[in-house]
Amino acid sequence: SQQGEEDPQALSIQEGENATMNCSYKTSINNLQWYRQNSGRGLVHLILIRSNEREKHSGRLRVTLDTSKKSSSLLITASRAADTASYFCATDHSYIPTFGRGTSLIVHP
Amino acid sequence: KAGVTQTPRYLIKTRGQQVTLSCSPISGHRSVSWYQQTPGQGLQFLFEYFSETQRNKGNFPGRFSGRQFSNSRSEMNVSTLELGDSALYLCASTSGDATNEKLFFGSGTQLSVL
């Protein structure tokens, strides 16, 4: 069963726009991770945010975490065509990261 | 440092056959996890091996099994293949020394069952 669920399922934007994806989860966590997957390939780790952190930045990525609402968001600023991929959140359910179904992001040049 | 290597990259099998997939983790990593990815179900955790022992197991039937060798390389086996086993199988490695570490994924094995 999925611990984290991403929203929206699909997102289509123009290059230069910002993209925001959300993740909701059910049980308390120690940390939450975001991954990216290019079509048919393995996942690549983007960022990890711990439960005692509220916001974290990495380049054009900004992640927030609201443990009271059991939700996280991933913001990609000034998106590029190369950002086209699926994005997954992973929560630390039962020791092993548990993934949602992902948000498919398409960035049009 | 070489990344996680999965072989083969593509595999086509017929129903009833069995298949073995291989995963070589990053050097020094002792934990290998396996995931099944399908369009409908997303990434589903199969099992995790650490130092040759299965440490965690997902909710899959006994047809799915795995093992890990002393060099941390891991294999997973699926017996009596069903059409629904068609999926991308991903393995990921970590040091395994702490909980919820960053996972390093291989490129996956795309299995098609006809």
Side-chain angles (χ1 to χ4, degrees):
Chain A
S1 63
Q2 262 71 26
Q3 160 76 321
E5 290 293 342
E6 296 86 350
D7 172 68
Q9 284 188 314
L11 186 57
S12 180
I13 60 174
Q14 295 296 127
E15 213 167 27
E17 294 181 336
N18 295 341
T20 300
M21 288 156 266
N22 303 296
C23 171
S24 59
Y25 56 93
K26 296 171 185 166
T27 60
S28 62
I29 59 171
N30 294 310
N31 66 49
L32 184 144
Q33 302 180 51
W34 284 91
Y35 288 81
R36 185 186 77 198
Q37 182 181 36
N38 289 88
S39 181
R41 308 295 291 184
L43 281 73
V44 174
H45 183 267
L46 294 175
I47 200 163
L48 181 153
I49 186 165
R50 301 193 187 283
S51 60
N52 60 354
E53 297 174 309
R54 291 295 167 260
E55 189 169 312
K56 207 161 181 181
H57 296 254
S58 177
R60 294 183 296 112
L61 305 180
R62 173 180 166 247
V63 168
T64 61
L65 179 64
D66 187 334
T67 53
S68 67
K69 294 182 179 177
K70 292 187 171 60
S71 68
S72 173
S73 68
L74 170 66
L75 168 68
I76 304 174
T77 59
S79 62
R80 305 166 182 167
D83 295 327
T84 293
S86 292
Y87 292 82
F88 295 84
C89 67
T91 52
D92 60 338
H93 177 62
S94 298
Y95 191 76
I96 291 293
T98 306
F99 292 83
R101 289 186 172 89
T103 291
S104 175
L105 171 65
I106 297 175
V107 181
H108 299 279
Chain B
K1 222 177 196 182
V4 178
T5 304
Q6 287 189 249
T7 56
R9 183 74 180 94
Y10 300 95
L11 208 47
I12 299 175
K13 293 285 188 179
T14 56
R15 275 185 304 173
Q17 288 187 312
Q18 75 164 19
V19 66
T20 299
L21 312 181
S22 179
C23 174
S24 292
I26 288 173
S27 178
H29 283 186
R30 293 184 295 163
S31 169
V32 174
S33 298
W34 288 90
Y35 290 84
Q36 179 196 66
Q37 185 177 27
T38 58
Q41 295 297 318
L43 274 102
Q44 300 282 319
F45 171 71
L46 282 154
F47 28 66
E48 183 226 2
Y49 285 86
F50 177 77
S51 293
E52 302 181 65
T53 301
Q54 188 180 86
R55 190 163 64 171
N56 288 282
K57 187 178 186 304
N59 189 25
F60 276 79
R63 299 186 298 108
F64 292 82
S65 62
R67 60 177 176 168
Q68 187 179 34
F69 302 95
S70 59
N71 61 358
S72 293
R73 189 177 72 85
S74 177
E75 289 181 348
M76 69 162 280
N77 184 274
V78 188
S79 62
T80 320
L81 283 166
E82 300 177 358
L83 295 179
D85 296 333
S86 294
L88 180 66
Y89 289 87
L90 295 163
C91 82
S93 75
T94 70
S95 69
D97 294 332
T99 60
N100 314 304
E101 295 175 79
K102 172 170 111 172
L103 293 169
F104 293 84
F105 281 86
S107 295
T109 293
Q110 184 68 54
L111 172 65
S112 297
V113 182
L114 306 178

